[in-house]
């Protein structure tokens, strides 16, 4: 992967990176380069692991406030009771012990891009040569919505269990409402998968009333064939799907959701708000001045911010148009790790990176579907674009796919964290 001959030549000539198209700070030329990563989800953990695995001379510090990562992937199966929280809770031990990543249990609160320093909530200041932000997503506020009372569960953790309790609380013949935000949001098929699983749970518990799905988009965003079929056949008696419908406010005292076509009274609700890059991306000035900008603009060759040099953004926070999935976050992290290693060796990034994504969606308690796509760099536009004929969804949900889902997730978890 690296041009070792070229690196040796440069080292021998004593001019390692002193000049040229990829200038390094003097410190980075003399001492071990320092990469600091903010956020230990699928993006940040993969990046930390792969930089260390591919070049152990680079110091990597991962700043993450939580002692473990709770995966959103498969979390809808915790909601149904098919899996336990422990099944989706991943430890950081391997990053530390196998790869020598320094883990700082803290929250990053400020970035000084001029002096290349990150400050944390506990008052630590951590210097970097290259900074990688992988803080996931932040949520829009909806008037009257308190996620502690009406959980979105779009960040797995305590809200996943709260949602499980809510689904169980729906009375016989009652109404469960869920809302889907405008794309782009985390995990394009995820909300439709959740609608199916809530309907399946209600049917299996013989409590079926209604699952009202309000979609801010004009149509199903991902796997339209799979989900339209599921809504119109398997769940025709339960799911009511309403496209182009937004939640304007919530009046939970009266269990009423106010939408663009009027109020709806419900027994339980799961409102998934609109999404944007993790807070620290905005506070670092990576969104620019336009308040409508939601995701960090980056160069997809190395994920470096187009606004702030030496700061890179990967995972759900980046705005390249690639799907916001854990699989894609893992893929972007490897492209970024490779580009950072090349940078420290005085080399240009790979000029033709490719990434890919897969999402498995349980449709019933025993069947699942899948969605996959490959992206490639288009030099003419400087954008990542879907490679023709790679966007595919399973022809129909099956028990085979359901089994495959666990093998795929196990591999992705291990490749990112172990
Ligand atoms: C129900 C559901 C199902 C899904 N299914 C799939 C699927 O089948 N396939 C798939 O590929 N993806 C799936 N996803 C999407 C996937 O979970 C996300 O795309 C993925 O988690 C994004 O990874 P990330 O590292 O960008 O963000 P995250 O996983 O959210 O990680 C961000 C990390 O940053 C930390 N952080 C935030 N701010 C700071 C700060 N200031 N300082 C330090 N740390 C900070 C957070 O604590 C967190 O650990 C699903 C999501 C949901 C909700």
């Amino acid at each position: 992967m690296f041009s070792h001959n070229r690196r040796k030549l440069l080292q021998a000539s004593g001019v390692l990176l002193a000049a040229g198209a990829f200038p390094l700070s003097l410190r980075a030329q003399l001492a071990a380069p320092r990469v600091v990563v903010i956020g230990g989800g699928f993006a940040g953990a993969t990046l930390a692991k792969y930089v260390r695995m591919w070049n152990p001379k680079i110091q990597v510090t991962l700043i993450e406030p939580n002692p473990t990562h709770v995966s959103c992937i498969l979390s809808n199966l915790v909601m149904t009771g098919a899996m336990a929280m422990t099944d989706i809770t991943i430890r950081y031990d391997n990053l530390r012990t196998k790869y020598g990543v320094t883990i700082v249990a803290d929250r990053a609160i400020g970035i000084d891009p001029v002096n290349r320093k990150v400050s944390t909530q506990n008052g630590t200041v951590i210097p970097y040569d290259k900074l990688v932000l992988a803080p996931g997503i932040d949520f829009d506020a909806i008037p009257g919505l308190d996620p502690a009372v009406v959980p979105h569960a779009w960040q797995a953790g305590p809200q996943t269990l709260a949602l499980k309790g809510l689904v169980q609380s729906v009375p016989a013949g009652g109404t469960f409402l869920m809302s889907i935000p405008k794309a782009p949001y985390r995990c394009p098929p995820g909300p439709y998968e959740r609608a199916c699983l809530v309907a399946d749970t209600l049917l299996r518990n013989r409590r079926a009333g209604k699952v009202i799905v309000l979609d801010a988009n004009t149509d199903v965003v991902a796997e339209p064939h799979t989900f339209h079929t599921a809504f119109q056949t398997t769940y025709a008696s339960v799911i009511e799907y309403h496209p182009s419908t937004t939640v304007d406010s919530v009046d939970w005292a009266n269990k009423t959701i106010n939408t663009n076509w009027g109020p709806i009274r419900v027994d339980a609700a799961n409102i998934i708000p609109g999404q944007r890059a993790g807070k620290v991306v905005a506070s670092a000035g990576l969104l620019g001045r336009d308040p409508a900008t939601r995701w960090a603009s980056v160069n997809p060759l190395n994920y470096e911010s187009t606004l702030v040099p030496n700061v890179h953004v990967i995972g759900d926070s980046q705005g390249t148009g690639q799907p916001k999935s854990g699989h894609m976050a893992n893929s972007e992290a490897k492209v970024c790790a490779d580009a950072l290693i090349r940078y420290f060796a005085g080399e240009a990034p790979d000029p033709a990176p490719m990434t890919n994504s897969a999402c498995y969606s349980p449709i019933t308690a025993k069947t699942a579907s899948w969605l996959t796509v490959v992206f490639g760099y288009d030099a003419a536009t400087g954008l990542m674009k879907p490679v023709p004929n790679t966007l595919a969804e399973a022809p129909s949900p099956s028990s085979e796919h359901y089994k495959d889902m666990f093998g795929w997730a196990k591999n992705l978890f291990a490749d990112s964290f172990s």
Side-chain angles (χ1 to χ4, degrees):
M1 156 155 321
F2 315 112
S3 167
H4 293 290
N5 290 343
R6 183 171 166 209
R7 205 178 314 168
K8 273 195 189 125
L9 195 73
L10 286 168
Q11 275 161 347
S13 69
V15 294
L16 178 65
L17 315 170
F22 313 100
L24 285 179
S25 69
L26 184 61
R27 208 215 73 84
Q29 294 172 44
L30 300 174
R34 298 161 305 187
V35 171
V36 173
V37 189
I38 297 178
F42 283 92
T46 306
L47 182 114
K49 166 181 165 177
Y50 272 83
V51 168
R52 289 288 301 166
M53 195 166 78
W54 285 341
N55 188 343
K57 290 194 179 130
I58 298 174
Q59 291 175 10
V60 178
T61 303
L62 173 63
I63 307 172
E64 165 62 55
N66 298 315
T68 51
H69 182 71
V70 183
S71 166
C72 287
I73 297 173
L74 301 180
S75 64
N76 280 336
L77 290 179
V78 174
M79 175 194 78
T80 64
M83 293 179 79
M85 282 300 274
T86 47
D87 298 325
I88 58 165
T89 301
I90 312 168
R91 299 167 66 98
Y92 290 116
D93 302 18
N94 283 321
L95 293 184
R96 194 179 3 240
T97 56
K98 264 169 85 176
Y99 303 101
V101 175
T102 303
I103 297 180
V104 174
D106 206 343
R107 179 172 290 280
I109 53 164
I111 289 155
D112 172 354
V114 176
N115 298 304
R116 298 199 198 183
K117 287 178 178 156
V118 180
S119 41
T120 71
Q121 206 158 39
N122 293 340
T124 309
V125 175
I126 305 172
Y128 66 84
D129 296 304
K130 283 285 191 182
L131 176 64
V132 182
L133 266 59
I137 51 171
D138 190 20
F139 297 93
D140 289 349
I142 294 178
L145 175 68
D146 178 357
V149 180
V150 180
H152 50 69
W154 219 240
Q155 183 68 63
Q159 285 201 15
T160 309
L161 291 178
L163 178 61
K164 180 181 178 186
L166 266 190
V167 176
Q168 285 168 351
S169 77
V170 177
T175 302
F176 182 96
L177 179 145
M178 63 172 290
S179 73
I180 302 169
K182 249 206 156 7
Y185 56 80
R186 162 173 288 179
C187 192
Y192 308 99
E193 159 192 324
R194 182 174 285 173
C196 289
L197 291 179
V198 172
D200 186 62
T201 306
L202 297 184
L203 280 172
R204 278 187 298 115
N205 295 345
R206 300 182 203 290
R207 283 185 284 125
K210 283 247 161 303
V211 176
I212 298 177
V213 182
L214 307 182
D215 193 341
N217 302 286
T218 53
D219 196 0
V220 170
V221 166
E223 296 180 68
H225 168 72
T226 300
F227 290 113
H228 277 305
T229 307
F231 291 177
Q232 285 158 19
T233 56
T234 322
Y235 299 119
S237 64
V238 190
I239 292 181
E240 252 183 40
Y241 175 68
H242 300 277
S244 305
T245 305
T246 50
V247 172
D248 296 336
S249 65
V250 173
D251 171 7
W252 201 243
N254 293 304
K255 295 211 166 166
T256 300
I257 310 298
N258 296 308
T259 74
N260 57 339
W261 48 264
I264 307 174
R265 268 200 50 96
V266 301
D267 294 296
N270 171 220
I271 308 293
I272 305 171
Q275 292 157 36
R276 54 183 65 242
K279 274 195 186 68
V280 69
V281 172
S283 64
L286 303 177
L287 298 182
R289 290 198 181 146
D290 180 355
T293 308
R294 290 177 169 259
W295 312 103
S297 161
V298 296
N299 171 2
L301 290 179
N302 59 3
Y303 291 87
E304 185 168 20
S305 162
T306 56
L307 297 173
V308 181
N310 299 308
V311 178
H312 301 242
V313 184
I314 56 173
D316 285 0
S317 279
Q318 55 70 41
T320 60
Q322 296 173 100
K324 299 189 184 301
S325 75
H327 194 129
M328 182 55 88
N330 168 285
S331 206
E332 291 163 4
K334 289 173 188 167
V335 173
C336 182
D338 178 45
L340 292 182
I341 291 166
R342 288 172 188 245
Y343 166 83
F344 289 121
E347 295 168 12
D350 176 355
M354 297 188 86
T355 55
N356 70 323
S357 179
C359 284
Y360 273 86
S361 289
I363 304 294
T364 67
K366 294 201 169 101
T367 64
S369 166
W370 51 256
L371 169 70
T372 185
V373 66
V374 177
F375 274 69
Y377 183 70
D378 176 46
T381 57
L383 302 174
M384 294 299 284
K385 293 200 168 156
V387 173
N389 305 320
T390 62
L391 176 63
E393 66 177 280
S396 57
S398 74
S399 53
E400 276 298 297
H401 302 331
Y402 191 86
K403 267 188 240 136
D404 291 346
M405 173 173 68
F406 295 105
W408 161 83
K410 194 173 165 206
N411 286 341
L412 181 64
F413 287 15
D415 190 51
S416 306
F417 294 89
S418 305

